[in-house]
Amino acid sequence: MAKGRPSTVFFCNECGYESSKWMGQCPACKAWNTMVEEPTVNTTRSGKSGSSRLSIPEPVSIGDVSLNSLERFQTGMSELDRVLGGGMVPGSLVLVGGDPGIGKSTLLLQVGRNLSQSSHKVLYISGEESAKQIKMRAMRIGQMSDNLQLLCETNLTLIEDVIRKHKPETVIIDSIQTMFSENVSSAPGSVSQVREATAVLLSIAKSMAITIFIVGHVTKEGTVAGPRVLEHMVDTVLYFEGDRYASYRIIRAVKNRFGSTNEIGVFEMQSGGLVEVSNPSEYMLSGRPKDSAGSCVVCAMEGTRPMLVEVQALVCRSSFGIPRRQATGTDLNRVNLLMAVLEKRLGLKTSECDAYINVAGGMKMNEPAVDLGIALAVVSGFDNTVISEDTVAFGEVGLSGEVRSVSLADSRVAECRKLGFSKIILPKANYDTMPAEMKKNMIPAETLSDAIKAIKQ
Ligand code: TYD
Ligand code: MG
């Protein structure tokens, strides 16, 4: 350690900001009381692995790089492959974040099983559970192959040796917060340990061209515990989310060096593990009430995939001066804005009403295309108009009450038709660009009042 260098530094637990002194508020992410004191990391790594890398590397011209290195392996779960950008890439580091109990270990054990069945060597390293506990989970999931090996260990030096000796093709680390490196004196789970552990795993993944999945727990604020720094280091960051009380789970790419970050994968947690939901719209719409007012089906895009969800609105007279507004699964400001548009442009007296908006099924929809559906659900809830169950709407609503065009209208329409919706209310600008044969049973809306007329017919 350099002379005069302080022996401890302060890290922000939220964003990883480093400072030589303690501060009440982190200057980078503005969080309060998140600075923690940790010893400075001694970055000189000992061991055999480092010395072999000391030979002078040769640069290669970009034309000579063979693309074989980007060959992908299928995980056996098409929903996960879609999020990874078409399968996992050898030599990549994938961070899977999520709340405790959401199903990260289950997902990765299933991936391990699928891969090992196609004679792919998988090493599952757990620092949280004993081999017996993992075996119990594995028995719920189903038949395992001998190519899936277990290791219960938290010491990274030993883990590195095991990986170099056994040469697995895929490694699963459950979880990064339990791993510790002897080079760092702070406790496992601290910012510097998590950082160091990730750096070690990164060098293993790149030097041996193996895929490493890392499980990361999420803090109550929703970031992977401790370090956003970790997100910069890995190739792919996946978040596993879902309502604890609903059985479906969504996996979402937040960062992906090998694919798009728009994609989501949908799963359902069942007694035998996670099952892929290949048609999420059907799943989200199941159990929808028939002939009830205050409900409208909308079509929103999640990445390149259209998804139909039901928006519900409960609108009732307010008994206080300031009406109460609440939105679950969508942006409250957007709801307030749409209600103001309805009041000003269509004369609906919404300012005297409480309104509760809910996206059924626990999905979060923040795309502008759900505007029209929210507005129609409010109108329907306000004057008890029942929107027929074969109606679906999408479109962005502007401040003057106009319905503006949205992207990817064709795939939205195709999804609506696939699910048997015969009446599609869509922006006129999108309607005009559609081929004549698709225009059957479509209702183009130029303004919000066109759309309202259509639901009242
Ligand atoms: P787990 O994978 O242990 O979560 P994490 O690793 O993210 O903390 O999943 C835990 C939950 O999943 C637990 O509440 C039990 C449930 N579960 C099922 O419903 N079915 C199953 O087949 C399995 C293995 C778990
Ligand atoms: Mg777990």
Side-chain angles (χ1 to χ4, degrees), residues 313-334:
L314 180 66
V315 184
C316 50
R317 184 157 287 278
S318 177
S319 32
F320 298 103
I322 303 168
R324 212 177 133 75
R325 303 274 163 86
Q326 204 170 313
T328 314
T330 187
D331 182 12
L332 179 61
N333 292 327
R334 198 79 203 156

Side-chain angles (χ1 to χ4, degrees), residues 132-370:
K132 282 207 182 85
Q133 284 171 310
I134 301 170
K135 171 83 185 182
M136 272 160 63
R137 175 177 296 118
M139 277 164 63
R140 291 177 77 171
I141 294 170
Q143 190 67 40
M144 295 283 158
S145 140
D146 286 342
N147 284 320
L148 176 65
Q149 298 200 304
L150 297 183
L151 177 71
C152 296
E153 184 53 66
T154 55
N155 184 330
L156 268 171
T157 320
L158 295 177
I159 289 175
E160 182 168 0
D161 289 345
V162 171
I163 296 177
R164 291 194 189 278
K165 182 169 165 222
H166 287 268
K167 300 195 171 44
E169 288 153 282
T170 299
V171 174
I172 296 163
I173 303 282
D174 190 1
S175 65
I176 193 73
Q177 276 93 3
T178 55
M179 298 296 149
F180 80 94
S181 160
E182 286 162 351
N183 295 336
V184 182
S185 55
S186 54
S190 62
V191 180
S192 32
Q193 275 291 5
V194 168
R195 251 192 202 187
E196 174 69 11
T198 312
V200 170
L201 293 170
L202 184 69
S203 83
I204 299 175
K206 301 292 169 198
S207 64
M208 297 181 67
I210 55 179
T211 312
I212 303 189
F213 287 94
I214 300 177
V215 171
H217 292 294
V218 160
T219 58
K220 60 181 187 307
E221 283 78 24
T223 49
V224 172
R228 289 276 270 295
V229 205
L230 213 131
E231 296 190 356
H232 302 302
M233 295 166 80
V234 301
D235 297 305
T236 305
V237 180
L238 307 179
Y239 272 98
F240 206 27
E241 53 189 47
D243 201 329
R244 272 199 92 124
Y245 305 104
S247 58
Y248 79 90
R249 305 277 185 267
I250 290 175
I251 193 155
R252 197 183 287 279
V254 181
K255 164 184 174 179
N256 195 352
R257 287 195 183 136
F258 307 111
S260 130
T261 52
N262 290 323
E263 296 297 345
I264 63 162
V266 186
F267 296 89
E268 189 181 353
M269 182 63 96
Q270 293 184 355
S271 57
L274 290 157
V275 178
E276 299 175 64
V277 177
S278 49
N279 194 344
S281 300
E282 209 168 278
Y283 183 75
M284 291 294 158
L285 291 178
S286 60
R288 185 161 60 103
K290 305 265 180 286
D291 298 331
S292 88
S295 152
C296 181
V297 177
V298 300
C299 184
M301 297 300 291
E302 281 286 355
T304 53
R305 167 154 47 176
M307 190 126 86
L308 299 186
V309 284
E310 183 200 358
V311 176
Q312 299 180 319
L314 180 66
V315 184
C316 50
R317 184 157 287 278
S318 177
S319 32
F320 298 103
I322 303 168
R324 212 177 133 75
R325 303 274 163 86
Q326 204 170 313
T328 314
T330 187
D331 182 12
L332 179 61
N333 292 327
R334 198 79 203 156
V335 169
N336 283 329
L337 183 145
L338 290 168
M339 294 186 72
V341 171
L342 285 173
E343 171 135 25
K344 179 81 182 171
R345 307 289 169 203
L346 295 148
L348 225 63
K349 289 269 175 274
T350 55
S351 61
E352 295 165 7
C353 296
D354 290 344
Y356 304 90
I357 310 294
N358 177 34
V359 176
M363 282 292 289
K364 290 191 179 52
M365 291 286 161
N366 289 320
E367 207 212 337
V370 300

